[in-house]
Amino acid sequence: MANSWRWLILFIGLASALPAAWAEAYLPADAGQVIETLPARGSHWLELRTLRQQVAAAPQALPPVLQLVRRYIELGRAEADPRYFGYAEAALQPWLLRPAADPEVLTLQATLLQNRHDFAPALALLERALAVRPRLAQAWLTRAAILEVQGDYAAAAGSCLPLAKTAAALVGAVCINSVLSLAGQSETAYRQLQQALEHASGAAATDRQWALVTLAEIAERRGDVAAAERHYRQALSAAEADGYLLAAYADFLLDRQRYAEVVDLLADRSRADPFLLRLALAERHLPQRDSNAHTEALQARFAALRLRGDNRHQADEARFRLQLCNEAEAAFALAQANWMIQREPRDARILLEAALAAGKPRTELQPVLDFLAANGMQDSRLQPLIARFGEEGV
Amino acid sequence: MKNWAVFCLCLCCCAPAMAHKASDSYLSLDSAHRQGRWDIALRDLDYALGLDANGDGAITWGELRDLGDAVFAYALQRLTVASAGQPCALQPGALQVDSHSDGNYAVLNFALACPDPAGPWSVDYRLFFDLDAQHRGLFSWAGSDRPAVFGPDAHRIDFDRASQTGIWPVLASFAGEGMRHILIGYDHLLFLLSLLLPAGLAWDRTGWRAVGSWRTAAWDAAAVVTAFTLAHSLTLSLTALHVIALPARWVESAIAASVALAALNNIYPLLSRRRAWLAFGFGLIHGMGIASVLLDMGSARGSQLVALLGFNLGVEAGQLAAVAAVLPLVVYAGRFAVYSQSALRWGSAAIAALACVWLAERSLEISLPIF
């Protein structure tokens, strides 16, 4: 009998060792089978469809195109869905090819380039737009945002100044105080922005939200957790939350170890990579939730992005490599490549964290540490990291 | 196709929720088999063509299938493949569905009919760039791993890749495909194995007895293998040439049933001396199953007979290799009483059990998490 069991085991071993069948393309069995669920078809969709029809009906009219593109960009930001940015860019394309492109077209295209971190060509388009129409507030604002992300605070502040005359008071105040807060004057910036918000009762809800997010981030950098929390909550109730706000608030909660709240905030938004990353980071600390599926999904999404030559997610991927995969070297390489493009506090943070985890010497971080010191960056999350590199009180 | 299949597998296995990702399509060309496969996101096709006919936000297979011709026409108009400077005709084939990390895709299989398929090749890709400037076409030649990327500023790529031409390379490549298919399509091998397990034995009402003669065993095996080969070659050819066509679900279920019956026949022999007839009868069904791969590859018309011949030769070669590896073992083991008294029985029972799982899966179109 023992022999026959051996045979049985051999057979079962053989059968299960054979390769599993590939997940190949298939022919659905039933005509009624749902093979894809499209993004929500709410009022957005109807509005977009109407705008698309208007553009198609009058291809030579610019205003419907601008309206359609703005709507696409808003939706892309709200849903963190890059396809809308691609639609917007395609709609602008015929207008960009004209010899004297409209400054608003140039500005919107620059916004799209900014979105995928093509900062140099975006700035060039904005210069062209402003040369034609120097009072185009959106162009100054986008220019300031790009320069701020690049860490050129003097130039960014210069780009905020014209807004005082061309844009709503609150918009100009957010622009300049955001820059000031990064350039070593966070206390002044916080006070001024708070005052501006108090005096801007008639401001648009989205502008108020933007001011509140900026206040929350300044308070967080200054280590005032209670104020940051208050401002984040005010921002969330001010208008429909956009991707930036949700990601920033999720990071705030992650730093406070409030993992269950991160899951509540983002659980049904896992379609977008930045949210999925934060969700997985939170789930890792919650025994009742399984973060493996989300970690594997992120792996697949970063692989898919790399396949198409997309590098705008390097900062997020560095966090993924460092905190979910324990690959400090890979994280450091990504964070370093990201630092060449963007220099916000969060970019410095992941770079320093990855460098510490990978055991990099101070010399490799010198450019970053010099940058932070030169600008007098005040950030409660960066100070301990800098201190660990032996550079007290930068 | 395999590299994409592996890629797709790793993507779709790990994606519980569909992602928000910029739009990509996956195009793969196989110059040896003169065919292509193009995976295009259903969401993008809906944006371009309005697949969701009833506007309920859900695309059903029926909605896609009804617009299948329009989908093929829309996509293939935006793709130019040329060899030796002359454009190839792109002939629509089967429309299927597959999953990627950001949702489900329509799979457009098509045949390439090139006036001069000698290469060098050039591919001009213009899908969706007018609608979505961030769309990218990820392109690969079958069998090579590094994909090329098509974008609005790089919509044409020249490949100085010379392609295999003439009869022999096509024959060889299809023979390889046939051999691969028979060796990984283990339902066919298990069927054959079930019939060969008693090769060195004879049934005498009370049980299996060793025959002891290599010669008898070899004749026995040769009869079974020949019958199986003749039968499946016949139906493989008829199916591949579109003379007969049976539903895949029916054929695949019958194949699973045949494996179970062949294995059970070793435990309760009804046809102990006529296993060659069993092999012939069920071989007819197996041939239709084997042909499905060839049909999926959708070879261009000119090389159809060569492809069929090559594929068939590959299948036979793979099968003979498997028989050559198994037969000596089986005959040698047959000399020991433990083989005929219990090993044969338990081995056959295991095969029958596995085949029953397949039968349930294939006939009910479910997936049992057993093997």
Side-chain angles (χ1 to χ4, degrees):
Chain A
M1 211 51 204
N3 264 327
S4 56
W5 279 112
R6 209 171 292 162
W7 279 97
L8 179 63
I9 289 163
L10 178 71
F11 269 106
I12 292 176
L14 266 179
S16 49
L18 292 166
W22 302 123
E24 292 266 17
Y26 61 97
L27 208 60
D30 171 23
Q33 186 182 336
V34 173
I35 51 176
E36 183 66 307
T37 308
L38 297 166
R41 304 228 137 171
S43 53
H44 298 316
W45 183 71
L46 286 174
E47 189 192 341
L48 282 178
R49 197 174 62 169
T50 314
L51 283 170
R52 277 179 79 184
Q53 282 163 353
Q54 284 175 11
V55 170
Q60 293 307 315
L62 182 57
V65 175
L66 294 176
Q67 206 185 340
L68 178 65
V69 168
R70 285 198 195 102
R71 209 64 200 89
Y72 276 140
I73 294 176
E74 283 165 22
L75 261 180
R77 284 187 177 153
E79 311 267 320
D81 185 345
R83 269 186 170 87
Y84 290 112
F85 301 128
Y87 300 157
E89 210 176 325
L92 284 178
Q93 214 53 41
W95 295 88
L96 278 170
L97 296 175
R98 303 193 165 197
D102 185 274
E104 294 211 43
V105 169
L106 294 172
T107 306
L108 286 169
Q109 175 68 10
T111 308
L112 292 164
L113 291 175
Q114 172 204 17
N115 233 321
R116 51 171 208 259
H117 299 177
D118 282 340
F119 294 138
L123 287 174
L125 286 181
L126 291 170
E127 301 297 341
R128 269 176 66 192
L130 289 167
V132 180
R133 198 177 300 169
R135 295 181 62 82
L136 190 55
Q138 187 57 52
W140 287 116
L141 194 57
T142 307
R143 186 168 176 272
I146 294 174
L147 292 167
E148 182 187 303
V149 168
Q150 288 185 321
D152 188 349
Y153 300 130
S159 195
C160 288
L161 293 179
L163 293 172
K165 289 180 195 161
T166 53
L170 185 58
V171 171
V174 178
C175 185
I176 190 73
N177 288 305
S178 175
V179 176
L180 287 180
S181 78
L182 292 169
Q185 300 185 48
S186 66
E187 199 181 331
T188 319
Y190 183 78
R191 202 180 55 242
Q192 288 180 4
L193 184 52
Q194 216 170 16
Q195 283 167 0
L197 188 60
E198 278 163 19
H199 293 124
S201 49
T206 49
D207 289 345
R208 287 181 60 79
Q209 187 182 50
W210 183 36
L212 286 163
V213 178
T214 310
L215 277 175
E217 290 191 292
I218 300 175
E220 201 182 349
R221 282 199 291 274
R222 299 179 65 221
D224 188 347
V225 176
E229 164 107 52
R230 194 172 66 243
H231 293 312
Y232 276 127
R233 294 206 162 272
Q234 288 167 331
L236 284 168
S237 57
E240 202 180 338
D242 71 353
Y244 184 88
L245 165 58
L246 287 170
Y249 186 50
D251 283 342
F252 172 84
L253 294 173
L254 283 171
D255 281 338
R256 314 268 99 72
Q257 279 115 47
R258 289 158 60 180
Y259 303 118
E261 288 173 69
V262 177
V263 173
D264 287 344
L265 186 71
L266 302 178
D268 48 358
R269 296 178 183 263
S270 60
R271 271 179 174 247
D273 300 351
F275 300 151
L276 185 62
L277 171 71
R278 286 153 178 91
L279 200 52
L281 286 171
E283 284 171 337
R284 201 173 39 141
H285 298 279
L286 296 171
Q288 69 274 25
R289 291 189 69 98
D290 176 20
S291 69
N292 287 338
H294 283 156
T295 306
E296 280 165 17
L298 278 167
Q299 190 99 35
R301 292 194 198 171
F302 287 126
L305 285 170
R306 212 169 308 119
L307 212 54
R308 79 197 301 279
D310 197 329
N311 65 357
R312 86 187 91 163
H313 298 267
Q314 286 176 136
D316 270 358
E317 193 177 357
R319 278 180 80 177
F320 172 67
R321 295 278 155 220
L322 180 66
Q323 293 166 5
L324 285 167
C325 307
N326 288 321
E327 296 169 14
E329 279 293 339
F332 179 68
L334 284 161
Q336 237 181 352
N338 177 60
W339 181 257
M340 295 292 120
I341 301 167
Q342 319 191 72
R343 298 180 166 196
E344 291 194 275
R346 68 172 64 81
D347 303 305
R349 180 179 176 187
I350 181 61
L351 181 54
L352 293 178
E353 285 174 346
L356 283 169
K360 296 290 171 191
R362 223 193 106 116
T363 44
E364 286 208 44
L365 272 298
Q366 205 55 53
V368 191
L369 297 172
D370 288 347
F371 173 86
L372 296 175
N375 290 296
M377 178 86 70
Q378 298 154 312
D379 191 326
S380 61
R381 296 160 303 183
L382 289 178
Q383 306 307 336
L385 295 170
I386 296 169
R388 284 177 66 186
F389 276 102
E391 177 91 3
E392 294 287 337
V394 174
Chain B
M1 222 67 17
K2 192 180 160 200
N3 50 337
W4 281 126
V6 174
F7 175 69
C8 301
L9 178 79
C10 93
L11 288 190
C12 63
C13 289
C14 337
M18 294 314 176
H20 277 164
K21 175 165 121 345
S23 160
D24 291 321
S25 89
Y26 303 90
L27 173 68
S28 166
L29 291 180
D30 184 340
S31 56
H33 296 118
R34 317 260 195 280
Q35 58 178 344
R37 171 178 164 168
W38 201 354
D39 291 21
I40 305 174
L42 288 165
R43 185 177 160 192
D44 294 336
L45 285 172
D46 175 68
Y47 186 75
L49 294 169
L51 292 184
D52 183 16
N54 58 5
D56 63 352
I59 300 173
T60 60
W61 166 237
E63 285 172 333
L64 174 65
R65 197 187 49 193
D66 291 347
L67 281 174
D69 291 343
V71 169
F72 267 108
Y74 181 86
L76 295 181
Q77 271 167 18
R78 288 161 173 79
L79 178 69
T80 312
V81 180
S83 169
Q86 300 181 61
C88 306
L90 307 176
Q91 297 153 343
L95 182 64
Q96 295 169 303
V97 177
D98 202 352
S99 299
H100 290 258
S101 71
D102 63 333
N104 286 332
Y105 282 55
V107 177
L108 281 64
N109 294 287
F110 57 90
L112 280 171
C114 306
D116 179 3
W121 296 80
S122 74
V123 179
D124 191 348
Y125 179 109
R126 293 171 181 277
L127 184 73
F128 293 146
F129 293 148
D130 53 335
L131 299 175
D132 181 345
Q134 285 302 303
H135 175 77
R136 295 290 177 269
L138 304 186
F139 172 82
S140 75
W141 288 105
S144 81
D145 291 313
R146 280 185 64 85
V149 181
F150 289 105
D153 303 326
H155 55 81
R156 184 191 153 113
I157 301 181
D158 292 301
F159 300 89
D160 53 4
R161 163 194 182 95
S163 66
Q164 303 156 322
T165 51
I167 289 180
W168 290 112
V170 175
L171 197 70
S173 105
F174 274 89
E177 211 49 57
M179 196 184 289
R180 192 180 81 88
H181 177 68
I182 198 74
L183 292 178
I184 65 161
Y186 33 94
D187 43 0
H188 310 302
L189 282 185
L190 275 187
F191 175 72
L192 202 55
L193 179 65
S194 304
L195 294 175
L196 290 179
L197 281 178
L201 309 173
W203 179 259
D204 68 356
R205 287 170 197 279
T206 56
W208 292 101
R209 298 273 176 270
V211 181
S213 154
W214 281 99
R215 201 185 154 97
T216 320
W219 274 115
D220 197 24
V224 166
V225 173
T226 308
F228 185 59
T229 303
L230 283 177
H232 76 221
S233 300
L234 180 68
T235 45
L236 194 168
S237 305
L238 291 176
T239 310
L241 296 171
H242 300 279
V243 179
I244 51 173
L246 287 177
R249 181 175 171 183
W250 192 91
V251 170
E252 292 300 319
S253 305
I255 288 175
S258 77
V259 177
L261 289 174
L264 290 174
N265 189 51
N266 293 337
I267 305 174
Y268 306 105
L270 298 172
L271 291 169
S272 67
R273 281 155 201 267
R274 299 223 171 99
R275 292 203 311 282
W277 287 106
L278 194 65
F280 187 85
F282 284 121
L284 294 172
I285 297 166
H286 281 256
M288 295 181 227
I290 299 170
S292 66
V293 182
L294 199 55
L295 287 178
D296 285 349
M297 294 200 295
S299 63
R301 278 172 206 136
S303 56
Q304 201 173 33
L305 283 173
V306 179
L308 178 58
L309 181 67
F311 189 80
N312 220 333
L313 287 175
V315 168
E316 305 322 333
Q319 177 185 308
L320 283 179
V323 170
V326 168
L327 193 62
L329 286 175
V330 168
V331 175
Y332 178 75
R335 297 179 173 190
F336 300 97
V338 67
Y339 179 80
S340 55
Q341 280 158 19
S342 56
L344 174 64
R345 178 180 292 260
W346 284 107
S348 299
I351 294 177
L354 179 63
C356 286
V357 173
W358 284 340
L359 180 59
E361 286 183 340
R362 294 173 184 186
S363 58
L364 304 174
E365 295 193 317
I366 51 172
S367 179
L368 300 174
I370 300 176
F371 291 104

